[in-house]
């Protein structure tokens, strides 16, 4: 195990811990990256708090409670047999049943899902809701697939997964490549196999148990978090400029909330490149873009051509001059040099809609330049928070209104911001939100693990 050693300096201890973790989990670069960021923040805290000094707490936090891997056979429209690999990583259930999204993307592998599940443990703890951490998905690419193929794939995925999940056991949701449509197909198959209609999966359509505002929650929440960071500095969103990466669920709802706050959104992107909108994205164009992306899974380049916007093939939007950046696409999309470019161009705030979009080098640049930097596990926790409220609505058999949910979302994002401030404040008015989020998330999970003994 990657057990901590006594009497070593914190820096050495982090290095040793990560070395042993890497040996135990070879080639899992994303997982190691996510753990390193957390361990760097919480080891100094652990050293000063005897209660948490049992090294096995950290070891167990880094070891999934269960990993499920399975094959997913399905038939394409031409009658060919197809095969994908499916996963569910049940990371930690100390504070509640496992909860976390499903990602369908060709890049999906065990390392990526373990990093996402690990992050989810801390994120779910920050929401203050009783949710453990998990993540799952498959190396399936929904792009270019017909509706019929997507339905068959989702049904085959659930034909294996249904054994390991349940409304009080493990409650999946969406992530990259998994939106309301895929959730609907998976929920339908679960219901058929189990003959149970319950809150086993969140992100459902409104007509069968979904929560108002769940599709919007992550993007809106990321903007609410940015607003809190600005408010603490006596500043506002209004009148600022922003650049967003991604053009999916998180990105486009972040854009919508920013526009509502009079922010000029100068760019959005997809894996083909970024679209530059000199005068700022307007709500009517955004609505067309949502339809184009959500209904047709269209390419941004085509949309830019059709609407006469500049499109930068294969480029990321980080060289666009802006006040704020919202990375909302995927992991490791801002490298050190790109972070430096953002800073040099006057960017003062980064709020992460995506999970781990900034590399370690990028985070170092943000910290060194005292950028208001909201890490994903805090800034994008709005999605899972509203998923948690969807579970409450399902078990009470009473849906809430959009206004009730929005109010809760705003409150939860404010509370997460305050938790980060409590543990990340350096005493001179600067908040290290990474440190704050990691420590605040850790305490609740560690307390529950200690109370439950060695299980
Ligand atoms: P979507 O599938 O709806 O959108 C993803 C977007 O990111 C697409 O525009 C996609 O472009 C782009 N993208 C994906 N991979 C890459 C890549 N390797 N390089 C460049 N662009 C890429 O996913 P979501 O919006 O749901 O998720 C986005 C991020 O937010 C992820 O990191 C996810 O983990 C995180 N997140 C999502 C939550 C949710 O509620 N959905 C909750 C919390 C975090 P293209 O279509 O060309 O692939």
């Amino acid at each position: 195990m990657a057990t901590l050693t006594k009497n070593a300096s914190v820096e050495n201890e982090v290095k040793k811990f990560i070395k042993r973790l890497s040996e135990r989990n070879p080639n899992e670069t994303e997982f190691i990256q996510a753990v390193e960021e957390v361990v760097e923040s919480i080891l100094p805290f652990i050293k000063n708090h005897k209660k948490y000094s049992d090294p096995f707490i950290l070891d167990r936090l880094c070891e999934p409670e269960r990993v499920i891997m399975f094959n997913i056979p399905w038939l394409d429209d031409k009658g060919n047999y197809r095969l994908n690999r499916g996963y569910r990583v049940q990371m930690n259930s100390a504070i509640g049943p496992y909860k976390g999204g499903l990602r369908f993307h060709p890049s999906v592998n065990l390392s990526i899902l373990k990093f996402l599940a690990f992050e989810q443990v801390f994120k779910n703890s920050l929401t203050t809701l009783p949710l453990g951490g998990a993540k799952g998905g498959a190396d399936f690419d929904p792009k270019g697939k017909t509706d019929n193929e997507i339905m068959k794939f989702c049904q085959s995925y659930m034909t294996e997964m249904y054994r390991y999940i349940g409304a009080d056991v493990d409650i999946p949701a969406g992530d990259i490549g998994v939106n309301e449509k895929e959730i609907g197909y998976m929920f339908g198959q679960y219901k058929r196999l189990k003959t149970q209609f319950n809150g086993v999966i969140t992100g459902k359509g409104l007509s069968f148990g979904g929560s108002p505002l769940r599709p919007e929650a992550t993007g809106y929440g990321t903007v609410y978090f940015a607003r809190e960071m600005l408010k603490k500095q006596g500043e506002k969103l209004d009148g600022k400029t922003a650049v967003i990466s991604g053009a999916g669920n998180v990105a486009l709802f972040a854009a919508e909330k920013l526009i509502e706050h009079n922010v000029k959104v100068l760019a959005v992107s997809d894996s083909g490149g970024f679209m530059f909108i000199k005068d700022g994205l307007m709500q009517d164009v955004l609505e067309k873009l949502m339809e184009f992306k959500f209904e047709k899974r269209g390419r941004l380049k085509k949309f830019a051509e059709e609407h006469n916007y500049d499109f930068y093939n294969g480029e990321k939007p980080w060289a666009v001059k802006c006040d704020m950046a919202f990375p909302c696409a995927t992991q490791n999309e801002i490298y050190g040099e790109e972070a430096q470019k953002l800073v040099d161009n006057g960017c003062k705030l980064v709020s992460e809609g995506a999970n781990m979009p900034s590399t370690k080098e990028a985070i170092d640049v943000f910290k060194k330049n005292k950028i208001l930097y909201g890490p994903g596990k805090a800034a994008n926790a709005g999605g899972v928070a509203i998923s948690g409220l969807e579970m409450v609505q399902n078990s009470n058999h009473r849906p809430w209104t959009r206004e009730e949910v929005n109010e809760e979302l705003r409150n939860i994002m404010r509370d997460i911001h305050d938790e980060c401030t409590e543990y990340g404040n350096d005493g001179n008015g600067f908040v290290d939100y990474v440190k704050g989020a990691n420590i605040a998330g850790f305490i609740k999970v560690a307390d529950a693990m200690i109370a439950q003994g060695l299980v």
Side-chain angles (χ1 to χ4, degrees), residues 211-232:
S211 172
L213 222 77
R214 174 60 188 92
E216 295 90 337
T218 309
Y220 280 15
T222 303
V223 176
Y224 291 153
F225 195 85
R227 193 174 59 172
E228 293 297 327
M229 289 197 287
L230 287 171
K231 200 160 110 193
K232 184 150 176 42

Side-chain angles (χ1 to χ4, degrees), residues 103 105 116 123 135 143 174-179 214 218 246-251 269-272 293-294 299 328-331 353-355 380 383-384:
R103 177 176 290 192
H105 193 273
L116 288 164
K123 184 188 310 194
K135 202 81 185 190
K143 278 191 213 119
D175 191 76
I176 292 179
V178 178
N179 286 311
R214 174 60 188 92
T218 309
N249 181 62
V250 179
S269 71
D270 67 10
S271 55
K293 276 288 182 187
F294 298 157
R299 308 307 304 152
C328 296
T330 191
Q331 66 275 358
N355 285 307
N380 71 35
V384 70

Side-chain angles (χ1 to χ4, degrees), residues 176-417:
I176 292 179
V178 178
N179 286 311
E180 198 175 307
K181 183 198 284 180
E182 292 77 16
I183 296 283
Y185 292 146
M186 286 191 271
F187 179 74
Q189 184 73 350
Y190 179 87
K191 188 164 63 71
R192 185 176 185 203
L193 291 165
K194 292 283 280 192
T195 57
Q196 280 175 12
F197 192 116
N198 60 30
V200 66
I201 187 162
T202 59
K204 299 183 289 297
L206 274 182
S207 60
F208 56 98
S211 172
L213 222 77
R214 174 60 188 92
E216 295 90 337
T218 309
Y220 280 15
T222 303
V223 176
Y224 291 153
F225 195 85
R227 193 174 59 172
E228 293 297 327
M229 289 197 287
L230 287 171
K231 200 160 110 193
K232 184 150 176 42
Q233 306 301 321
E235 287 199 52
K236 284 183 173 165
L237 286 166
D238 295 57
K240 294 199 164 34
T241 54
V243 158
I244 300 176
S245 66
N249 181 62
V250 179
L252 297 186
F253 285 113
E256 182 165 84
K257 190 48 77 180
L258 287 169
I259 293 170
E260 199 184 304
H261 280 276
N262 285 323
V263 172
K264 212 189 234 190
V265 175
L266 297 172
V268 291
S269 71
D270 67 10
S271 55
F274 79 88
M275 178 170 91
F276 180 63
I277 315 120
K278 188 164 152 272
D279 297 323
L281 191 60
M282 304 303 276
Q283 178 64 27
D284 58 335
V285 179
L286 176 64
E287 277 162 24
K288 285 184 196 147
L289 180 56
M290 283 180 171
E291 195 193 330
F292 180 79
K293 276 288 182 187
F294 298 157
E295 313 282 321
K296 303 180 191 143
R297 279 209 156 100
R299 308 307 304 152
L300 194 58
K301 183 177 181 177
K302 185 159 182 271
F303 185 87
E305 279 164 8
E306 285 172 6
H307 292 80
N308 289 323
Y309 293 116
D310 292 335
F311 188 81
Y312 292 81
N313 258 325
E315 285 187 41
K316 293 187 259 178
W318 311 128
V320 174
K321 191 170 160 38
C322 61
D323 300 317
M324 306 183 291
F326 291 82
C328 296
T330 191
Q331 66 275 358
N332 291 333
E333 49 164 325
I334 306 184
Y335 287 87
E337 275 177 26
E338 293 161 322
Q340 192 59 55
K341 188 82 191 162
L342 279 167
V343 172
D344 291 347
N345 277 339
C347 178
K348 293 277 186 302
L349 177 149
V350 178
S351 188
E352 295 183 340
N355 285 307
M356 206 170 74
S358 309
T359 62
K360 185 175 171 353
E361 292 70 30
I363 297 172
D364 289 345
V365 170
F366 296 145
K367 280 190 185 168
K368 194 171 137 215
N369 290 279
K370 300 233 183 280
I371 298 299
L372 295 175
Y373 168 64
K377 62 171 76 71
N380 71 35
V384 70
I386 301 309
S387 273
L389 300 185
E390 183 173 328
M391 289 161 64
V392 174
Q393 295 170 69
N394 290 163
S395 60
N396 290 343
H397 303 283
R398 189 188 82 81
W400 296 5
T401 64
R402 196 177 159 88
E403 291 68 34
E404 282 174 305
V405 178
N406 197 24
E407 179 70 20
E408 278 293 330
L409 176 62
R410 273 198 300 256
N411 291 341
I412 289 173
M413 296 317 293
R414 188 199 55 221
D415 292 348
I416 294 174
H417 175 270

